[in-house]
Amino acid sequence: MSSLKEVLTDKIPEYREKTKDILARHGETVISEVTVAQAYGGMRGVKGQICDTSTVNPDTGLIVRGRPLATITDRCPEEMFWLLVTGELPEPDSLKGLQDELARRSEVPAAVFDALRALPKTTHPMAMQSIGLLAMQEGSKFRKQYDAGMRKTEYWEACLDDSLDLLARIPTLTAGVYRIRYEDGKLIPRDPSKDWSANFAHMMGVADPSGNLANLMRLYLNLHADHESGNVSANLCHVTGSALSDPYYAVSAGLNGLAGPLHGLANQECLNFHLAILEKFGGVPTAAQLQDFTWENLNSGRVIPGFGHAVLRCIDPRYTACHEFGLTACANEPLFKLADLMLKVIPGVLTEHGKAKNVNPNVDALSGVLMYSLGVTHSPFYTAIFGVSRAIGMCAQMILNRAIGTPITRPKSVTTEWVIKQVGA
Ligand code: HAX
């Protein structure tokens, strides 16, 4: 059996060589150009960063280390982490070794929960999750070893060490956020017989007699782990980590971006949109009613949550995986029926509206529907579940970046006056 660290110790020298060789031989080759519209428009489409964990193909969706997402949806998040960081799926005994290691590292210091309990009861779960990580920063091994003069070539090892602690603890932390924010504040100890995902569901304390919630959690935490590195959460983590801020600071920064309504908060907004429709129409509306309601929202300047994407130009394969799961777990729930109706109606309305470049649903159009149907009804918590998963991709990217010595991020910004002069206007 090989441990994750042993596999990486074997692979990293070759990865470094490959990077060094590309830079030495092709460092001056142009791979992208930037238009004025891109500079003003969130750098869409500008190829200005390397990410080897995954890539998002506009027409097919997420590809993880060469594997289309649809081929690995049955894997667990621990396998996804191993795949992201090494490029290969683990052997069963290596997976077991990683799961045991995560279990060993899973205890969250009591002071972290004390800090969360001191917050106002109305604090958003995303703020609590991010504060919880920052409260653990004091234990960062990267920071301690950096202060003690760690060599550059050893950064990735300290980053892996912190990442394993962080990933082991983030379900415990986030389940604690749920207990403090929505329940009596008493924490539920982890169950050693359950895996990372099932334990997260278990520690939240939501009744799960069918086991469907644990299965949904396993799928959800797998699907949301990584989406290359230009999205807001991964990018914020990337930039923060590039300053050699340790993984607690860097992942916390990423989570703060995930908390935005155009990114991770969309699942909360989307569920609320579904609930508002069911309430307004006293159940699932007709297609005509839904069409009118969608137009009302668009005409009042609101976006339709769960539809569109900055990169994708197809149905998000993560949506498809959620849809397949919903058909087996909650197909008769009004919420799921409404989501299906939306799939039929909304793309047509958005096409007629004529603005969105992608009129298809993204993963957020269904993930909240599934969570709600299986008993997780506090929608502000959904983004925190996303955060547990996205921490996997953020840590995987950070380990690789420290391995190849990715320097501090510092793109050049220009002023509007500079643009005016440049274009000769
Ligand atoms: N409803 C209404 N208008 C939409 C829209 C939607 N679902 N999607 C895009 N548009 C509009 C944009 O607001 C933009 O309008 P303006 O020109 O007036 O600014 C126009 O269409 C062009 O946008 P785009 O290029 O197609 O999309 P962007 O890259 O600018 O934005 C977003 C991508 C995901 C932010 C956008 O589609 C959106 O707001 N969707 C709804 C929110 C959502 O579902 N977010 C989750 C995305 C997945 C994710 O990251 N999860 O974490």
Side-chain angles (χ1 to χ4, degrees):
M1 178 196 94
S2 302
S3 72
L4 184 55
K5 188 167 177 183
E6 285 164 350
V7 173
L8 286 172
T9 305
D10 274 356
K11 283 181 175 277
I12 281 173
E14 193 192 323
Y15 184 42
R16 280 181 178 146
E17 273 315 302
K18 195 167 152 186
T19 311
K20 226 166 91 182
D21 182 57
I22 294 170
L23 277 169
R25 296 203 291 140
H26 306 286
E28 301 308 314
T29 304
V30 175
I31 56 169
S32 201
E33 289 179 332
V34 188
T35 64
V36 172
Q38 286 172 310
Y40 276 99
M43 297 188 282
R44 290 293 185 296
V46 178
K47 298 181 192 76
Q49 195 161 283
I50 304 296
C51 172
D52 284 319
T53 54
S54 70
T55 184
V56 178
N57 181 324
D59 302 319
T60 55
L62 181 63
I63 314 274
V64 182
R65 294 285 197 164
R67 294 169 194 259
L69 182 68
T71 64
I72 45 173
T73 50
D74 58 337
R75 301 292 178 156
C76 66
E78 300 92 308
E79 287 174 291
M80 178 61 103
F81 177 56
W82 189 292
L83 173 64
L84 287 166
V85 81
T86 68
E88 286 161 15
L89 285 163
E91 295 299 327
D93 53 354
S94 292
L95 172 62
K96 173 82 174 56
L98 174 62
Q99 289 174 321
D100 290 347
E101 180 148 21
L102 291 174
R104 273 198 304 279
R105 292 172 182 249
S106 62
E107 197 173 320
V108 170
V112 174
F113 292 119
D114 291 344
L116 297 183
R117 286 195 175 92
L119 295 169
K121 188 78 185 156
T122 49
T123 307
H124 195 280
M126 281 309 285
M128 295 174 79
Q129 189 183 47
S130 185
I131 290 168
L133 281 192
L134 289 179
M136 287 194 265
Q137 187 278 335
E138 181 272 334
S140 167
K141 293 161 183 164
F142 185 94
R143 172 64 39 211
K144 285 193 181 70
Q145 289 172 40
Y146 185 86
D147 290 347
M150 166 172 58
R151 281 181 303 174
K152 236 181 160 174
T153 49
E154 294 168 346
Y155 286 176
W156 74 266
E157 292 175 59
C159 184
L160 172 66
D161 208 355
D162 269 357
S163 295
L164 288 170
D165 280 343
L166 191 156
L167 292 176
R169 292 171 180 184
I170 198 167
T172 319
L173 165 72
T174 309
V177 167
Y178 186 85
R179 301 294 305 167
I180 293 167
R181 182 67 172 72
Y182 299 112
E183 300 292 341
D184 58 7
K186 288 195 190 114
L187 306 179
I188 299 175
R190 63 183 301 284
D191 175 347
S193 71
K194 295 187 191 315
D195 67 8
W196 193 75
S197 313
N199 247 310
F200 178 38
H202 161 75
M203 289 186 286
M204 283 168 61
V206 176
D208 183 24
S210 65
N212 272 340
L213 180 60
N215 291 336
L216 171 62
M217 213 50 104
R218 205 170 287 112
L219 174 71
Y220 183 105
L221 298 177
N222 184 20
L223 294 181
H224 289 74
D226 205 51
H227 220 225
E228 62 179 48
S229 73
N231 65 78
V232 169
S233 49
N235 199 35
L236 280 168
C237 179
H238 177 94
V239 174
T240 309
S242 82
L244 299 185
S245 299
D246 63 56
Y248 295 93
Y249 281 125
V251 174
S252 170
L255 293 176
N256 297 342
L258 193 69
L262 298 186
H263 189 23
L265 206 78
N267 52 18
Q268 166 184 337
E269 306 257 315
C270 198
L271 193 268
N272 292 339
F273 189 66
H274 278 73
L275 292 178
I277 294 173
L278 289 183
E279 193 181 320
K280 182 177 165 84
F281 297 103
V284 181
T286 64
Q289 285 171 325
L290 180 59
Q291 203 167 359
D292 290 348
F293 185 80
T294 308
W295 273 115
E296 271 169 38
N297 274 268
L298 289 171
N299 291 337
S300 62
R302 270 171 279 176
V303 298
I304 307 302
F307 286 78
H309 199 271
V311 177
L312 291 176
R313 295 295 175 258
C314 61
I315 294 189
D316 188 341
R318 299 172 299 176
Y319 175 95
T320 308
C322 285
H323 192 257
E324 280 165 13
F325 181 89
L327 286 175
T328 65
C330 54
N332 293 323
E333 294 289 328
L335 268 173
F336 190 78
K337 288 185 171 163
L338 172 60
D340 257 2
L341 185 63
M342 285 181 163
L343 177 64
K344 292 190 185 93
V345 169
I346 291 179
V349 177
L350 286 176
T351 303
E352 204 181 326
H353 186 239
K355 274 190 165 185
K357 294 191 187 71
N358 176 13
V359 298
N360 295 299
N362 59 60
V363 65
D364 296 315
L366 259 186
S367 56
V369 166
L370 299 182
M371 285 290 168
Y372 193 96
S373 301
L374 296 180
V376 185
T377 54
H378 299 287
S379 64
F381 191 70
Y382 296 164
T383 315
I385 305 177
F386 191 164
V388 173
S389 175
R390 185 46 59 88
I392 294 174
M394 292 197 277
C395 286
Q397 293 183 16
M398 203 167 10
I399 293 162
L400 294 182
N401 277 309
R402 295 299 76 78
I404 55 170
T406 305
I408 189 164
T409 302
R410 183 44 170 107
K412 175 81 184 104
S413 58
V414 293
T415 63
T416 296
E417 285 312 312
W418 182 92
V419 173
I420 291 169
K421 277 195 198 127
Q422 188 73 10
V423 299

